[in-house]
Amino acid sequence: MRLVIARCSVDYAGRLTAHLPSAPRLILVKADGSVSIHADDRAYKPLNWMSPPCTLKEGTGEDEGVWTVVNKAGEKLIITMEEILHDSSHELGVDPGLIKDGVEAHLQELLADRIETLGDGYTLIRREYMTAIGPVDILCRDADGQTVAVEIKRRGEIDGVEQLTRYLDLLNRDPHLAPVRGVFAAQEIKPQARVLATDRGINCHILDYDALRGIEDDKLRLF
């Protein structure tokens, strides 16, 4: 990963145009080719970014100090450097991935054992299906034989939808699995995450932890 802190301005040209005026910012260039620009006033969301695959060209001569990032759709992120305050590169190696807490791990185990919870005719392919960017929680097939990738969270938020989107993009490149659709499963799914998932064609499924464990509802019933 390359970390650059610089006073710079940023212009985006693509489906729309956007401009960030000159200010000190952090620029992250990751090994996967992604480039993101960050300010110091938010937890994690970048001001602007370019997702992989994309290419970064650093200008020379008259264009020295101008970085141009282009993705496969031809969209451009143009970063004009005025002053570089810090520039360093670090080899992080392969990340072991997120270690789930006990509840998420148990939800995965229970759902794999009761995969029909997602619908009649579902069959399990395997848990923790490994990809180049990490393991998919559950890979299964629906009643029509289509491959389904399931991402499981205790609380479903936008980050989980983004994670599943990356898995789906990768899995759909495998002709033995494609087409692959996604299911975002959680005990609770935030409204914003549901909207994003729906927009991307991902189904949402609420998991009842007690029902998966086989615990009866203790509410009074008339019959």
Side-chain angles (χ1 to χ4, degrees), residues 158-159 161-162 165 191-202:
I158 285 178
D159 283 355
V161 178
E162 295 285 6
T165 300
Q192 299 93 331
R194 187 179 291 274
V195 169
L196 181 61
T198 301
D199 182 67
R200 295 183 176 180
I202 295 171

Side-chain angles (χ1 to χ4, degrees), residues 1 22 27 32 40 43 49 62-63 70 82 88 90 93 139 150 181 189 191 199 208 210:
M1 178 182 291
S22 176
I27 304 165
D32 63 3
D40 203 17
W49 67 94
E62 293 184 356
D63 293 327
V70 184
E82 297 172 13
S88 64
H90 308 269
L139 199 67
V150 185
R181 63 181 182 86
I189 298 178
D199 182 67
D208 186 327
D210 288 340

Side-chain angles (χ1 to χ4, degrees), residues 1 9 17 38 55 97 105 147 151 162-163 168 174 206 219:
M1 178 182 291
S9 60
T17 58
H38 299 259
T55 58
T147 309
E151 180 63 28
E162 295 285 6
Q163 183 180 358
L168 289 171
D174 186 339
I206 297 296
K219 292 186 178 65

Side-chain angles (χ1 to χ4, degrees), residues 110-122:
L110 290 169
L111 184 58
D113 191 49
R114 298 167 175 80
I115 198 67
E116 68 279 357
T117 301
L118 297 177
D120 293 337
Y122 272 70

Side-chain angles (χ1 to χ4, degrees), residues 111-218:
L111 184 58
D113 191 49
R114 298 167 175 80
I115 198 67
E116 68 279 357
T117 301
L118 297 177
D120 293 337
Y122 272 70
T123 56
L124 178 68
I125 297 176
R126 66 168 297 164
R127 289 172 52 196
E128 298 287 335
Y129 184 88
M130 187 56 65
T131 74
I133 57 174
V136 177
D137 286 336
I138 290 178
L139 199 67
C140 57
R141 296 192 188 280
D142 63 18
D144 297 323
Q146 183 177 359
T147 309
V148 181
V150 185
E151 180 63 28
I152 299 171
K153 300 293 183 187
R154 182 170 58 177
R155 180 180 292 109
E157 302 190 43
I158 285 178
D159 283 355
V161 178
E162 295 285 6
Q163 183 180 358
L164 179 53
T165 300
R166 292 192 293 271
Y167 287 143
L168 289 171
D169 180 64
L170 196 63
L171 291 169
N172 273 300
R173 300 178 196 177
D174 186 339
H176 299 293
L177 297 175
V180 184
R181 63 181 182 86
V183 171
F184 189 51
Q187 289 179 281
E188 173 194 358
I189 298 178
K190 296 294 186 180
Q192 299 93 331
R194 187 179 291 274
V195 169
L196 181 61
T198 301
D199 182 67
R200 295 183 176 180
I202 295 171
N203 293 338
C204 292
H205 187 91
I206 297 296
L207 296 174
D208 186 327
Y209 188 48
D210 288 340
L212 284 171
R213 293 167 63 200
I215 299 175
E216 290 291 331
D217 190 340
D218 62 0

